[in-house]
């Protein structure tokens, strides 16, 4: 259950849309839920969102499973979302993904044993001119090289305390 503060935020989001169109609030409410409930969306959380918006759970599942920005299983503190579409692949994103897998000893979709890092391969993040690139939280990391990845990992570890 959301806190009273979060419930007020949900009501504020729903109020942005015309009466009877509360489903339009689904994506922002899912973001709020993911943030509030540990960085991922369990089936129970998605069902809760459906009840708040008075829509069917399947309508929530359809959206949550479509967009890579929603995590359907627990994730690490730092989620590396590496673009794997054409322009990034041409600039070496597959090599960056392989490098991260080896460096962190995890596969795509996995989380390190210490719970710090999760690796995701995602579709276009809209920054093709900066390929290869990844999203880390709200920030883009661009023109990736193994050295830049090492620096990002070191920075994340340093800030983990």
């Amino acid at each position: 259950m959301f806190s009273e503060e979060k419930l007020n935020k949900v009501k504020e989001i729903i109020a942005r849309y015309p009466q009877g169109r509360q489903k339009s609030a689904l994506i922002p409410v899912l973001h709020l839920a993911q943030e509030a409930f540990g960085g991922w969306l369990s089936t129970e959380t998605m069902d809760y969102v459906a009840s708040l918006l008075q829509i069917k759970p399947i309508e929530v599942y359809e959206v949550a499973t479509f967009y890579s920005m929603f995590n359907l299983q627990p994730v690490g503190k730092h989620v590396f979302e590496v673009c794997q579409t054409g322009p990034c692949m041409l600039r070496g994103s597959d090599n960056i993904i392989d490098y991260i897998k080896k460096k962190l000893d995890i596969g795509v979709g996995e989380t390190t044993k210490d719970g710090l890092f999760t690796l995701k391969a995602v579709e276009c993040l809209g920054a093709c001119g900066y390929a290869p690139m990844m999203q880390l939280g709200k920030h883009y990391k661009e023109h990736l090289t193994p050295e830049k990845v090492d620096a990002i990992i070191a920075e994340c570890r340093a800030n983990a305390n």
Side-chain angles (χ1 to χ4, degrees):
M1 300 283 288
F2 280 131
S3 66
E4 187 174 333
E5 176 187 340
K6 296 285 186 197
L7 276 174
N8 287 335
K9 182 68 177 170
V10 169
K11 290 175 187 173
E12 176 188 314
I13 292 168
I14 292 170
R16 296 176 192 163
Y17 303 98
Q19 185 73 20
R21 302 285 186 194
Q22 68 277 5
K23 183 178 177 181
S24 299
L26 180 54
I27 288 178
V29 173
L30 281 174
H31 279 296
L32 193 65
Q34 183 166 272
E35 178 186 308
F37 300 117
W40 69 289
L41 300 169
S42 66
T43 302
E44 294 79 16
T45 298
M46 291 187 281
D47 290 349
Y48 176 59
V49 167
S51 71
L52 290 173
L53 297 177
Q54 301 174 343
I55 59 177
K56 296 176 184 170
I58 189 65
E59 295 176 276
V60 177
Y61 307 158
E62 290 169 341
V63 171
T65 59
F66 180 79
Y67 292 105
S68 63
M69 66 186 116
F70 298 118
N71 301 309
L72 302 179
Q73 59 189 11
V75 294
K77 182 175 182 179
H78 305 285
V79 180
F80 290 178
E81 297 181 82
V82 183
C83 180
Q84 66 174 358
T85 47
C88 280
M89 291 283 289
L90 289 171
R91 301 285 309 269
S93 67
D94 51 343
N95 296 330
I96 294 298
I97 291 169
D98 287 342
Y99 183 78
I100 294 169
K101 286 166 54 176
K102 289 176 188 159
K103 182 80 176 179
L104 297 177
D105 193 29
I106 57 173
V108 172
E110 295 179 353
T111 300
T112 55
K113 291 176 184 156
D114 61 7
L116 275 182
F117 301 99
T118 297
L119 175 61
K120 292 174 70 174
V122 299
E123 296 305 317
C124 187
L125 292 168
C128 304
Y130 307 106
M133 58 83 60
M134 73 172 162
Q135 186 168 348
L136 176 59
K138 295 181 180 181
H139 304 282
Y140 279 178
K141 303 296 182 176
E142 304 160 340
H143 302 293
L144 294 174
T145 63
E147 296 77 21
K148 284 185 178 181
V149 169
D150 288 343
I152 293 166
I153 291 170
E155 181 181 348
C156 289
R157 283 197 169 120
N159 293 330
N161 299 329

